């Protein structure tokens, strides 16, 4: 089940913001475990190298390369290099993303535009470069990592992130329809509140640096009583990328411990 032998996968943001498991890091490790040839990219090569060390210690291999996924030229070079090295491209995991605080009054225009670039335009650019390859092969799977912030207000003002992640879902749906007859599937994983290293950054940005308070607040928002982790995202991404999901395209897999099904604790 869920084997990826013979498949070549690109994972964007294969490093992690800090120690521990980010979503892209866990996904790169898991895809390699399942037999894929994984090409991981990141802007932080130290973080990517840590992921490679973990993969190699498990007896698998991870090729890492530098690529800023907001830059079309760098993405073009990445896809060419992947094809030159491995001859094909079966899976693309668009994992890069980050949030900045603000509502329309408090966020400046430059931050808004950068947020759209990193959370939405990045997936457009990587898709633009990889879809022709996948369509020519007649097979391929793209998994975009969105967020429940694109579906609900999740307790903090992050207007551009929320708008971009919602846009990513619809970008995925309409592109999936366009490419359905050409053998390429596109889907989203929609994580809820995950216990990844970025919780520290979120505590600094949204909770006056109170990490323990931020963790408690996030756990309390979840019907299951706790955040998920990067492996919950990685397993969902693996499923959508695998041949077991061959009839699934243009949809979302929400991984949120029940948050989006929930209307609040009775008072
Ligand atoms: N952690 C959560 O609670 C949570 C919840 C919902 C959605 N998500 C989404 O999951 C995804 C990944 O989260 P994570 O926890 O792994 O984040 P992370 O910040 O730990 O890791 C992201 C990696 O991407 C790299 N990166 C940043 N900008 C880049 C760029 N322009 N080009 C290439 N690489 C770049 C970073 O160097 C880092 O190694 C994001 O899209 C995020 O929005 C996370």
């Amino acid at each position: 089940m869920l084997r990826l032998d013979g498949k070549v996968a690109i994972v964007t943001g294969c490093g992690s913001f800090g120690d521990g498991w980010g979503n892209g890091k866990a996904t790169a490790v898991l895809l390699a475990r399942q037999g894929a040839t994984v090409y991981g990219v990141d802007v932080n090569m130290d973080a990517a190298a840590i992921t490679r060390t973990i993969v190699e210690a498990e007896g698998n291999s991870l090729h890492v390369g530098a690529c800023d996924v907001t830059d079309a030229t760098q993405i073009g070079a990445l896809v060419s290099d992947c094809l030159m090295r491995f001859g094909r491209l079966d899976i693309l995991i668009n994992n890069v993303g980050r949030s900045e605080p603000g509502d329309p009054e408090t966020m400046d225009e430059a931050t808004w535009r950068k947020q759209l670039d990193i959370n939405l335009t990045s997936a457009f650019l990587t898709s633009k470069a990889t879809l022709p390859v996948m369509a020519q092969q007649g097979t391929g799977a793209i998994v975009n990592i969105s967020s429940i912030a694109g579906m609900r207000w999740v307790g903090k003002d992050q207007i551009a992130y929320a708008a971009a992640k919602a846009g990513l879902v619809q970008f995925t749906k309409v592109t999936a329809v366009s490419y359905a007859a050409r053998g390429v599937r596109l889907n989203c994983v929609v994580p809820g509140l995950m216990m990844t290293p970025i919780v520290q950054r979120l505590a600094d940005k949204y909770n006056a640096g109170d990490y323990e308070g931020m963790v408690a607040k996030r756990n309390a928002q979840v019907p299951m009583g706790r955040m998920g982790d990067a492996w919950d995202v990685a397993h969902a991404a693996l499923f959508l990328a695998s041949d077991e999901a061959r009839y699934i395209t243009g949809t979302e897999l929400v991984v949120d411990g029940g948050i989006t099904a929930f209307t609040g604790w009775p008072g």
Side-chain angles (χ1 to χ4, degrees):
M1 280 286 283
L2 305 179
R3 291 297 305 174
L4 302 177
D5 303 287
K7 293 187 189 290
V8 177
I10 288 177
V11 178
T12 75
C14 70
S16 182
F17 166 68
D19 291 342
W21 292 97
N23 298 328
K25 185 176 182 177
T27 303
V29 170
L30 185 60
L31 267 53
R33 270 183 202 163
Q34 295 307 110
T37 297
V38 184
Y39 192 139
V41 301
D42 208 293
V43 284
N44 180 343
M45 293 313 286
D46 291 339
I50 291 170
T51 309
R52 184 178 55 206
T53 302
I54 294 169
V55 171
E56 287 175 352
E58 294 187 355
N60 302 312
S61 76
L62 172 69
H63 178 79
V64 295
C67 177
D68 177 346
V69 294
T70 63
D71 183 317
T73 306
Q74 292 186 36
I75 292 167
L78 159 71
V79 173
S80 299
D81 188 53
C82 179
L83 292 175
M84 198 185 68
R85 286 173 189 277
F86 305 120
R88 55 186 299 113
L89 176 54
D90 303 282
I91 296 166
L92 167 66
I93 311 286
N94 279 315
N95 164 74
V96 167
R98 64 178 286 167
S99 85
E100 294 293 345
D103 62 25
E105 283 191 85
T106 58
M107 180 173 286
D108 58 57
E109 186 181 337
T111 302
W112 167 268
R113 289 187 186 279
K114 272 192 179 167
Q115 279 284 281
L116 293 192
D117 271 356
I118 195 158
N119 291 299
L120 180 58
T121 308
S122 58
F124 161 72
L125 293 174
T126 56
S127 299
K128 192 175 182 63
T130 56
L131 281 166
V133 176
M134 292 178 171
Q136 195 179 16
Q137 289 173 175
T139 178
I142 297 179
V143 180
N144 294 324
I145 310 299
S146 180
S147 166
I148 60 163
M151 303 170 79
R152 299 284 191 279
W153 188 82
V154 293
K156 50 189 185 292
D157 288 331
Q158 43 182 2
I159 186 70
Y161 180 74
K165 290 295 195 181
L168 183 59
V169 169
Q170 192 61 8
F171 168 80
T172 305
K173 282 183 187 293
V174 296
T175 310
V177 174
S178 298
Y179 282 80
R182 287 179 266 180
V184 186
R185 299 183 299 103
L186 293 94
N187 293 289
C188 279
V189 174
V190 185
L193 304 178
M194 316 312 284
M195 184 62 175
T196 67
I198 63 155
V199 176
Q200 180 63 61
R201 188 166 65 197
L202 298 176
D204 295 340
K205 279 187 193 164
Y206 297 94
N207 211 38
D210 176 8
Y211 177 74
E212 297 304 331
M214 190 76 191
V215 169
K217 197 187 281 184
R218 284 165 72 89
N219 283 337
Q221 283 178 258
V222 189
M224 282 189 177
R226 60 176 171 80
M227 285 181 267
D229 66 24
W231 294 100
D232 297 315
V233 175
H235 282 111
L238 166 63
F239 170 63
L240 290 173
S242 73
D243 288 344
E244 278 78 3
R246 67 188 181 185
Y247 199 57
I248 299 175
T249 197
T251 194
E252 308 90 64
L253 183 46
V254 178
V255 181
D256 73 348
I259 298 176
T260 52
F262 177 59
T263 59
W265 302 110

